[in-house]
Amino acid sequence: MAGYQDIVGHKRIKEQLKSAIELDKVSHAYIFHGPKDSGKMMLAEAFAMALQCEQKNPCGCGECRSCKQAMHRNQPDIIYVQHEKPNVISVQEIREQLVGDMEIKPYSSRYKIYIIDEAEKMNPQAQNAILKTIEEPPHYGIILLLTSNVDMLLQTIRSRCVRIDLKTVADDLIRKYLMEKHQIPDYQANVATAFAQGNVGKAVHLSTSQEFAEEKNQVLSIVRKVSDLRIADVGDRIKEMEVYKDDMGEYLNLMQIWYRDVLYWKSTGQIDGLIFRDELQEIRKQAERLAYRGLQIAFDCIEKARLRLQANGNFELIMELLLLEIKEIYQWQE
């Protein structure tokens, strides 16, 4: 478990939670809403640790027995609701782990805090079971619902909770975090940050993922050589791409970022704004060959391929058309 000091970004939310403790205006129910890996669990855990801090530090002191227990996830009055089936949280699990358990007073702390991750997986019966507890909780009871799809929760639950909507984190903060905290090389941090779109957890995953590194290298092998691609070799290249058929959205994003870098260099000649900075020599070469209109066509072709794939079009035909259309733009002149 991390404290607020270890959480990148989300300054407004951290201040809001800290103020709730300082002003003694803590609600009995919160919804932390944001995409997967956006930091919901880290914020909820830091808030829970601060609430239970024996020194009454609104950020958690990190030194008292309760804070140390919380950091190791063995604080007896911070309960993580578990579920056996991966796609559903049942009414029985909510009744046993939360509704019934909350009737028992805290073991050693001021509050009894329940953290429900993936709260959208509660079935309607489970949500109705928790609703009465949210409406009439004991004075020591606090429920933290974490969800990536708040609309899956009953309106009656949403209306009775303080909603915390996680915003994207600035790219420069994510890049700095990857390089300083995880010792990620700058060129690798650039790519992961661009793809994460403000999601710190996703950036960490991408920067350390061998699968993502292999996918990136495969895309680069395509865009470096597509201008010289022979018609007879198109089928072989499509077979290489087919490995990523189930996640072509990410693959096409990598292609778009490549041509975005080419356009950026052609327009500015500045290295600082490049994502694939370690590919500068090839980016410069392509920027000299490609016309502005050709680059716009490349973006349009990639987006059309994305839409066709989403419409369940034939993969091989869509990718063949994409490669041939992009190959064509290298023949254009300014």
Side-chain angles (χ1 to χ4, degrees):
M1 176 188 285
Y4 290 134
Q5 72 281 358
D6 299 313
I7 299 174
V8 181
H10 304 303
K11 180 179 178 181
R12 180 190 60 79
I13 293 174
K14 289 185 283 189
E15 290 175 348
Q16 177 183 350
L17 298 175
K18 178 184 174 184
S19 294
I21 296 175
E22 288 177 327
L23 300 174
D24 196 24
K25 292 186 177 180
V26 177
S27 175
H28 286 287
Y30 290 82
I31 293 173
F32 289 80
H33 176 235
K36 180 183 177 183
D37 297 329
S38 57
K40 300 185 294 292
M41 180 60 77
M42 292 182 72
L43 284 164
E45 288 184 327
F47 185 41
M49 181 173 75
L51 285 166
Q52 304 290 42
C53 179
E54 294 170 358
Q55 300 299 320
K56 298 187 186 313
N57 186 320
C59 295
C61 69
E63 299 295 332
C64 68
R65 183 181 66 170
S66 177
C67 283
K68 288 180 179 179
Q69 287 177 328
M71 286 189 285
H72 290 91
R73 286 196 171 189
N74 59 11
Q75 215 280 6
D77 294 315
I78 299 177
I79 298 99
Y80 295 82
V81 175
Q82 307 295 322
H83 55 103
E84 291 185 2
K85 295 181 180 179
N87 296 319
V88 64
I89 302 174
S90 70
V91 62
Q92 182 176 353
E93 288 164 333
I94 290 297
R95 284 172 176 165
E96 290 179 354
Q97 298 179 53
L98 191 151
V99 177
D101 188 78
M102 194 180 283
E103 295 177 0
I104 304 170
K105 290 183 179 181
Y107 175 75
S108 61
S109 308
R110 179 181 180 185
Y111 299 106
K112 206 165 187 182
I113 303 170
Y114 297 82
I115 298 177
I116 305 179
D117 195 15
E118 300 179 311
E120 71 275 5
K121 292 183 177 179
M122 288 189 292
N123 62 26
Q125 294 82 3
Q127 293 195 44
N128 280 312
I130 203 175
L131 179 58
K132 184 172 177 57
T133 304
I134 290 176
E135 289 176 332
E136 300 176 6
H139 66 87
Y140 52 77
I142 295 177
I143 298 172
L144 308 181
L145 303 174
L146 283 52
T147 180
S148 57
N149 189 352
V150 72
D151 293 330
M152 293 292 287
L153 299 178
L154 296 174
Q155 173 60 33
T156 45
I157 289 179
R158 301 201 303 266
S159 65
R160 287 163 174 77
C161 298
V162 173
R163 179 165 161 175
I164 306 290
D165 287 307
L166 278 68
K167 307 297 183 184
T168 56
V169 177
D171 283 354
D172 58 335
L173 292 178
I174 297 178
R175 190 179 300 108
K176 181 180 179 182
Y177 175 74
L178 293 177
M179 294 170 62
E180 295 183 358
K181 185 75 173 179
H182 294 272
Q183 287 76 54
I184 303 298
D186 59 352
Y187 65 89
Q188 198 170 328
N190 286 339
V191 178
T193 299
F195 259 74
Q197 297 181 318
N199 187 318
V200 179
K202 184 176 181 181
V204 172
H205 169 70
L206 292 176
S207 66
T208 57
S209 167
Q210 183 61 34
E211 292 81 4
F212 180 71
E214 291 172 358
E215 183 176 7
K216 181 195 75 173
N217 290 336
Q218 208 282 324
V219 170
L220 291 177
S221 75
I222 291 280
V223 295
R224 289 192 198 105
K225 303 296 184 181
V226 67
S227 63
D228 302 318
L229 185 65
R230 297 186 306 169
I231 302 299
D233 296 330
V234 170
D236 292 335
R237 303 305 301 207
I238 291 174
K239 287 180 181 178
E240 295 172 8
M241 299 166 74
E242 197 165 8
V243 175
Y244 307 100
K245 185 176 180 179
D246 292 336
D247 194 17
M248 282 305 291
E250 194 166 89
Y251 192 100
L252 294 176
N253 286 342
L254 280 164
M255 292 186 75
Q256 283 184 320
I257 288 177
W258 172 264
Y259 288 107
R260 172 264 179 206
D261 270 4
V262 174
L263 176 61
Y264 182 85
W265 177 264
K266 187 175 182 69
S267 302
T268 69
Q270 300 293 319
I271 190 172
D272 288 345
L274 297 179
I275 304 302
F276 292 116
R277 198 175 302 175
D278 55 327
E279 296 287 330
L280 177 60
Q281 184 175 351
E282 182 63 28
I283 288 172
R284 183 188 289 122
K285 187 193 306 182
Q286 293 204 12
E288 292 172 355
R289 290 187 62 184
L290 289 168
Y292 283 108
R293 181 164 172 259
L295 287 167
Q296 183 58 56
I297 293 294
F299 291 126
D300 293 343
C301 289
I302 294 169
E303 199 55 38
K304 281 191 291 185
R306 188 194 308 278
L307 294 173
R308 288 165 178 162
L309 288 170
Q310 290 172 351
N312 295 317
N314 183 280
F315 178 82
E316 290 79 10
L317 290 177
I318 293 170
M319 290 300 104
E320 179 179 352
L321 180 61
L322 174 62
L323 292 181
L324 293 177
E325 286 179 327
I326 290 181
K327 173 181 169 61
E328 183 69 21
I329 68 173
Y330 287 85
Q331 314 306 318
W332 295 8
Q333 301 295 323
E334 291 285 7

